[in-house]
Amino acid sequence: MTFRPALVALAFLASVVTAAAHASLERAEPRPGSRLKTPPTEIKLWYTEKLEPAFSSLRVQTGAGRRVDRADGRVDDVDRKLMRVSVSPLTPGTYRVVWRVLSVDGHVTEGEFTFRIEPTA
Ligand SMILES: [Cu+2]
């Protein structure tokens, strides 16, 4: 095997390893896209990598953009892969969870999802 293909393989491997180290959303409570009968009091997001608390944010808002979280979004003290935020009492409707995190590998990832509170009959 000549030198060049080995270099290419190495570069490819390095890019795979680096990409895998980004913090991706692993799961959340409530689950993305879920429909709930009981409004949650807290939103929790688990990531694949540990997070830098100072540069990670989480907010929850109505479809119209009004914030309903208590502005206490934070990385958990014990589990640095967990972000949590408490919310004020939620009425029926669709809510957007918007997050932006800095992984300990120095990369920023961001995303959002919605969940819905169903009206009680
Ligand atoms: Cu990364």
Side-chain angles (χ1 to χ4, degrees), residues 17-23 49 103-109:
V17 171
T18 308
H22 292 359
E49 297 296 324
S103 167
V104 288
D105 75 345
H107 295 128
V108 170
T109 47

Side-chain angles (χ1 to χ4, degrees), residues 9 11 23 26 28 30 32 48 54 56 59-60 65 71 73 79 88 98 105-106 114 118:
E26 197 162 56
T48 54
S56 298
R59 63 181 200 274
V60 185
D79 182 355
S88 49
V98 183
D105 75 345
T114 62
E118 301 282 11

Side-chain angles (χ1 to χ4, degrees), residues 23 49-57 74-75 80-81 83 100-108:
E49 297 296 324
K50 288 183 179 170
L51 307 174
E52 293 293 351
F55 300 97
S56 298
S57 67
R74 64 211 178 278
V75 175
R80 293 272 303 276
K81 294 183 179 180
M83 277 214 75
R100 188 174 193 276
V101 298
L102 176 66
S103 167
V104 288
D105 75 345
H107 295 128
V108 170

Side-chain angles (χ1 to χ4, degrees), residues 22 37 117:
H22 292 359
K37 291 221 175 313
I117 310 286

